[in-house]
Amino acid sequence: MARKKIALIGGGQIGGILALLAAQRELGDIVMLDIPEKESMCKGKMLDIAESAGVLGFDVSVTGTSNYDDIAGADVVIVTAGLPRKPGMSRDDLLDINVKIISDVAKNVKIQAPRAFCIIVTNPLDSMVYAFQKVSGFPKHRVCGMAGVLDTSRFQTFVAMEMRVSVKDVSAVVLGGHGPTMVPLTRFCTVGGLPLTQVMTAAKIEAISARTREAGTEIVNLLGNGSAFVSPAASAIAMAESFLLDQRRVLPAAALLSGEYGIDGYFIGVPVVIGAKGIEKVVKLKLHRDEQEALMKSVDAVKGAVADVDKRI
Ligand code: TXD
């Protein structure tokens, strides 16, 4: 059986970890693409990872490029291409620049990898995944955004740290847009099968939810230069792996909704089943009124950014 092919568009911080994780798990041959000015850096990063094969023992090829021909026929495309916000830049300035980048990426992916399952990571996440789908015209089951897996992993980690228990026994789900309006569904969180609400005080749960909402900023402040890159990469790899191995995992991802949860025409983080066909199903559940209201508030935040995208493409 021919190996699968994974294209990583953007060879920055997250791109590098994506390549390492995908190689270690032998998910397929990996090609990382960046702009021509960074082609050499990209080749160097990938050669470095390739040269770890002797010790780590993986049998996949790992290469860098700036030429879209090299991603031809990719099964999975993970997009981290974009610019981060710099001091003095407004959110609009960033959106303006990243919409152009994502449009360019989408046009090229459409030509070279027309059947790929595409996972968008670039911020502002919920509007960039929208832009990618709009420009590529790919069906909705083959385009999604990564945010919920990361936000959920953060929540799980904080619960495990607080209770001093294995994170493996913590199950959780965080819905909504990727930002301070995200919605941790604490009612459904379990620890070893027991409801979190029965084993932790409401005040502690609220503190963990608040920390989760601001977790990205916490990392940005600590790093001083750049944003989280290991946990976002691990999260996107979990989604890619579920697709490539047809695992049918139930993961929260930004999916284009057509009426589910009362939302139409927007990519919003909801639980989905990811299998060999991509987003195979949006898992629906009946939310309590306060949860639904919080989700709609999150949608409102996404709507503004999407309207800005629509003005530009
Ligand atoms: O949960 C989430 N979705 C996120 C998103 C969590 C953390 C970070 N998130 C966002 O991912 C972050 O705000 C950024 O928008 C992306 C990528 O983060 P990363 O830390 O990897 O950014 P870098 O190191 O700046 O890398 C971006 C690379 C860089 O090498 C650029 O040269 C390249 O993107 N780039 C391009 N590549 C290909 N094609 C084009 N046009 C292009 N433009 C820039």
Side-chain angles (χ1 to χ4, degrees):
M1 196 175 75
R3 275 189 218 142
K4 298 288 187 181
K5 183 166 174 178
I6 300 154
L8 308 176
I9 313 297
Q13 297 273 73
I14 299 180
I17 305 290
L18 283 171
L20 177 62
L21 292 174
Q24 274 195 296
R25 300 172 95 88
E26 296 187 301
L27 292 184
D29 290 334
I30 306 152
V31 181
M32 185 163 84
L33 180 145
D34 210 298
I35 51 177
E37 299 87 306
K38 294 208 181 160
E39 181 170 35
S40 171
M41 176 281 295
C42 203
K43 283 185 187 299
K45 216 177 229 191
M46 295 300 262
L47 183 59
D48 185 24
I49 293 174
E51 288 170 4
S52 71
V55 228
L56 296 176
F58 52 78
D59 286 312
V60 292
S61 87
V62 181
T63 51
T65 188
S66 67
N67 183 349
Y68 272 97
D69 291 349
D70 295 328
I71 73 149
D75 298 282
V76 172
V77 173
I78 307 180
V79 182
T80 60
L83 288 195
R85 204 154 102 178
K86 298 203 181 76
M89 241 170 126
S90 72
R91 213 187 103 265
D92 273 355
D93 297 336
L94 181 73
L95 191 120
D96 208 26
I97 295 167
N98 281 355
V99 164
K100 287 193 187 111
I101 292 174
I102 292 295
S103 300
D104 178 59
V105 171
K107 281 180 202 146
N108 283 295
V109 169
K110 186 176 181 164
I111 295 166
Q112 297 294 347
R115 276 180 291 280
F117 177 56
C118 303
I119 303 169
I120 314 305
V121 180
T122 306
N123 268 332
L125 191 268
D126 308 279
S127 53
M128 289 306 110
V129 62
Y130 175 89
F132 184 94
Q133 196 272 334
K134 188 170 175 186
V135 173
S136 68
F138 283 174
K140 64 180 185 176
H141 65 275
R142 283 205 284 107
V143 181
C144 63
M146 189 292 293
V149 176
L150 171 61
D151 299 328
T152 300
S153 175
R154 286 169 166 161
F155 189 90
Q156 289 170 298
T157 305
F158 299 148
V159 169
M161 279 162 43
E162 173 65 33
M163 294 187 68
R164 301 190 63 246
V165 297
S166 168
V167 74
K168 291 181 194 145
D169 291 321
V170 182
S171 178
V173 57
V174 179
L175 304 187
H178 184 53
T181 57
M182 69 179 76
V183 188
L185 285 183
T186 54
R187 181 161 67 97
F188 298 105
C189 180
T190 58
V191 181
L194 310 171
L196 178 68
T197 46
Q198 307 266 318
V199 293
M200 195 185 275
T201 64
K204 277 192 180 146
I205 295 174
E206 182 41 43
I208 286 174
S209 298
R211 187 175 179 191
T212 302
R213 281 192 282 267
E214 293 299 331
T217 309
E218 185 180 1
I219 300 277
V220 166
N221 291 341
L222 285 167
L223 290 176
N225 180 20
S227 48
F229 54 100
V230 176
S231 51
S235 305
I237 288 295
M239 295 165 70
E241 192 169 54
S242 189
F243 166 77
L244 288 167
L245 306 185
D246 193 19
Q247 290 172 332
R248 300 184 59 77
R249 292 196 61 193
V250 182
L251 298 169
L256 182 55
L257 299 179
S258 321
E260 301 94 337
Y261 293 89
I263 301 162
D264 195 18
Y266 294 96
F267 279 85
I268 296 292
V270 291
V272 299
V273 176
I274 301 182
K277 295 193 185 75
I279 305 287
E280 299 203 358
K281 188 179 174 181
V282 171
V283 181
K284 288 176 264 181
L285 79 159
K286 192 131 185 58
L287 297 177
H288 283 176
R289 188 191 290 181
D290 57 327
E291 294 161 345
Q292 184 68 29
E293 279 171 9
L295 185 62
M296 294 322 273
K297 216 180 257 175
S298 195
V299 174
D300 284 343
V302 172
K303 277 184 183 170
V306 165
D308 288 344
V309 167
D310 275 333
K311 276 185 233 145
R312 289 165 170 87
I313 51 177

PDB file of all heavy atoms in Angstrom, residues 82-94:
ATOM      1  N   GLY A  82       0.679  32.007   7.955  1.00  0.00           N
ATOM      2  CA  GLY A  82       0.074  33.273   8.354  1.00  0.00           C
ATOM      3  C   GLY A  82       1.072  34.120   9.093  1.00  0.00           C
ATOM      4  O   GLY A  82       2.203  33.690   9.342  1.00  0.00           O
ATOM      5  N   LEU A  83       0.641  35.297   9.401  1.00  0.00           N
ATOM      6  CA  LEU A  83       1.504  36.167  10.194  1.00  0.00           C
ATOM      7  C   LEU A  83       0.910  36.331  11.579  1.00  0.00           C
ATOM      8  O   LEU A  83      -0.305  36.416  11.716  1.00  0.00           O
ATOM      9  CB  LEU A  83       1.599  37.560   9.548  1.00  0.00           C
ATOM     10  CG  LEU A  83       2.412  37.685   8.271  1.00  0.00           C
ATOM     11  CD1 LEU A  83       2.710  39.150   8.000  1.00  0.00           C
ATOM     12  CD2 LEU A  83       3.712  36.892   8.327  1.00  0.00           C
ATOM     13  N   PRO A  84       1.745  36.367  12.593  1.00  0.00           N
ATOM     14  CA  PRO A  84       1.222  36.638  13.930  1.00  0.00           C
ATOM     15  C   PRO A  84       1.034  38.155  14.101  1.00  0.00           C
ATOM     16  O   PRO A  84       1.571  38.937  13.313  1.00  0.00           O
ATOM     17  CB  PRO A  84       2.337  36.129  14.849  1.00  0.00           C
ATOM     18  CG  PRO A  84       3.579  36.191  14.021  1.00  0.00           C
ATOM     19  CD  PRO A  84       3.179  36.129  12.579  1.00  0.00           C
ATOM     20  N   ARG A  85       0.245  38.538  15.092  1.00  0.00           N
ATOM     21  CA  ARG A  85       0.024  39.961  15.338  1.00  0.00           C
ATOM     22  C   ARG A  85       1.274  40.588  15.921  1.00  0.00           C
ATOM     23  O   ARG A  85       1.892  40.021  16.813  1.00  0.00           O
ATOM     24  CB  ARG A  85      -1.144  40.109  16.312  1.00  0.00           C
ATOM     25  CG  ARG A  85      -1.801  41.455  16.189  1.00  0.00           C
ATOM     26  CD  ARG A  85      -3.228  41.378  16.617  1.00  0.00           C
ATOM     27  NE  ARG A  85      -3.398  41.919  17.946  1.00  0.00           N
ATOM     28  CZ  ARG A  85      -4.568  42.008  18.542  1.00  0.00           C
ATOM     29  NH1 ARG A  85      -5.644  41.557  17.957  1.00  0.00           N
ATOM     30  NH2 ARG A  85      -4.668  42.505  19.739  1.00  0.00           N
ATOM     31  N   LYS A  86       1.628  41.747  15.381  1.00  0.00           N
ATOM     32  CA  LYS A  86       2.797  42.458  15.909  1.00  0.00           C
ATOM     33  C   LYS A  86       2.319  43.680  16.676  1.00  0.00           C
ATOM     34  O   LYS A  86       1.202  44.154  16.472  1.00  0.00           O
ATOM     35  CB  LYS A  86       3.699  42.896  14.754  1.00  0.00           C
ATOM     36  CG  LYS A  86       4.252  41.731  13.962  1.00  0.00           C
ATOM     37  CD  LYS A  86       5.527  42.129  13.220  1.00  0.00           C
ATOM     38  CE  LYS A  86       6.062  40.972  12.416  1.00  0.00           C
ATOM     39  NZ  LYS A  86       5.304  40.714  11.193  1.00  0.00           N
ATOM     40  N   PRO A  87       3.176  44.222  17.575  1.00  0.00           N
ATOM     41  CA  PRO A  87       2.769  45.406  18.324  1.00  0.00           C
ATOM     42  C   PRO A  87       2.290  46.508  17.376  1.00  0.00           C
ATOM     43  O   PRO A  87       2.905  46.730  16.328  1.00  0.00           O
ATOM     44  CB  PRO A  87       4.056  45.826  19.048  1.00  0.00           C
ATOM     45  CG  PRO A  87       4.896  44.597  19.111  1.00  0.00           C
ATOM     46  CD  PRO A  87       4.534  43.761  17.932  1.00  0.00           C
ATOM     47  N   GLY A  88       1.185  47.146  17.724  1.00  0.00           N
ATOM     48  CA  GLY A  88       0.674  48.242  16.906  1.00  0.00           C
ATOM     49  C   GLY A  88      -0.284  47.787  15.810  1.00  0.00           C
ATOM     50  O   GLY A  88      -0.882  48.603  15.116  1.00  0.00           O
ATOM     51  N   MET A  89      -0.414  46.483  15.656  1.00  0.00           N
ATOM     52  CA  MET A  89      -1.297  45.955  14.609  1.00  0.00           C
ATOM     53  C   MET A  89      -2.676  45.672  15.187  1.00  0.00           C
ATOM     54  O   MET A  89      -2.779  45.057  16.239  1.00  0.00           O
ATOM     55  CB  MET A  89      -0.727  44.620  14.126  1.00  0.00           C
ATOM     56  CG  MET A  89      -0.360  44.585  12.680  1.00  0.00           C
ATOM     57  SD  MET A  89       0.542  43.057  12.454  1.00  0.00           S
ATOM     58  CE  MET A  89      -0.405  42.393  11.151  1.00  0.00           C
ATOM     59  N   SER A  90      -3.710  46.091  14.465  1.00  0.00           N
ATOM     60  CA  SER A  90      -5.052  45.796  14.951  1.00  0.00           C
ATOM     61  C   SER A  90      -5.447  44.399  14.464  1.00  0.00           C
ATOM     62  O   SER A  90      -4.793  43.829  13.592  1.00  0.00           O
ATOM     63  CB  SER A  90      -6.050  46.814  14.407  1.00  0.00           C
ATOM     64  OG  SER A  90      -6.235  46.574  13.038  1.00  0.00           O
ATOM     65  N   ARG A  91      -6.553  43.876  15.022  1.00  0.00           N
ATOM     66  CA  ARG A  91      -7.061  42.581  14.594  1.00  0.00           C
ATOM     67  C   ARG A  91      -7.427  42.641  13.106  1.00  0.00           C
ATOM     68  O   ARG A  91      -7.219  41.699  12.361  1.00  0.00           O
ATOM     69  CB  ARG A  91      -8.301  42.246  15.433  1.00  0.00           C
ATOM     70  CG  ARG A  91      -8.469  40.765  15.696  1.00  0.00           C
ATOM     71  CD  ARG A  91      -9.790  40.500  16.367  1.00  0.00           C
ATOM     72  NE  ARG A  91     -10.741  39.958  15.411  1.00  0.00           N
ATOM     73  CZ  ARG A  91     -11.628  40.661  14.728  1.00  0.00           C
ATOM     74  NH1 ARG A  91     -11.709  41.959  14.883  1.00  0.00           N
ATOM     75  NH2 ARG A  91     -12.448  40.084  13.900  1.00  0.00           N
ATOM     76  N   ASP A  92      -7.948  43.825  12.686  1.00  0.00           N
ATOM     77  CA  ASP A  92      -8.319  44.009  11.287  1.00  0.00           C
ATOM     78  C   ASP A  92      -7.109  43.928  10.372  1.00  0.00           C
ATOM     79  O   ASP A  92      -7.176  43.345   9.293  1.00  0.00           O
ATOM     80  CB  ASP A  92      -8.978  45.385  11.095  1.00  0.00           C
ATOM     81  CG  ASP A  92     -10.464  45.300  11.364  1.00  0.00           C
ATOM     82  OD1 ASP A  92     -10.949  44.171  11.597  1.00  0.00           O
ATOM     83  OD2 ASP A  92     -11.123  46.356  11.351  1.00  0.00           O
ATOM     84  N   ASP A  93      -6.007  44.537  10.819  1.00  0.00           N
ATOM     85  CA  ASP A  93      -4.780  44.483  10.009  1.00  0.00           C
ATOM     86  C   ASP A  93      -4.366  43.027   9.818  1.00  0.00           C
ATOM     87  O   ASP A  93      -3.993  42.613   8.727  1.00  0.00           O
ATOM     88  CB  ASP A  93      -3.612  45.218  10.690  1.00  0.00           C
ATOM     89  CG  ASP A  93      -3.900  46.703  10.855  1.00  0.00           C
ATOM     90  OD1 ASP A  93      -4.721  47.220  10.080  1.00  0.00           O
ATOM     91  OD2 ASP A  93      -3.299  47.330  11.748  1.00  0.00           O
ATOM     92  N   LEU A  94      -4.427  42.270  10.903  1.00  0.00           N
ATOM     93  CA  LEU A  94      -4.010  40.858  10.859  1.00  0.00           C
ATOM     94  C   LEU A  94      -4.938  40.069   9.941  1.00  0.00           C
ATOM     95  O   LEU A  94      -4.490  39.285   9.109  1.00  0.00           O
ATOM     96  CB  LEU A  94      -4.025  40.240  12.263  1.00  0.00           C
ATOM     97  CG  LEU A  94      -3.581  38.782  12.305  1.00  0.00           C
ATOM     98  CD1 LEU A  94      -2.083  38.666  12.095  1.00  0.00           C
ATOM     99  CD2 LEU A  94      -3.940  38.128  13.630  1.00  0.00           C
TER     100      LEU A  94
END
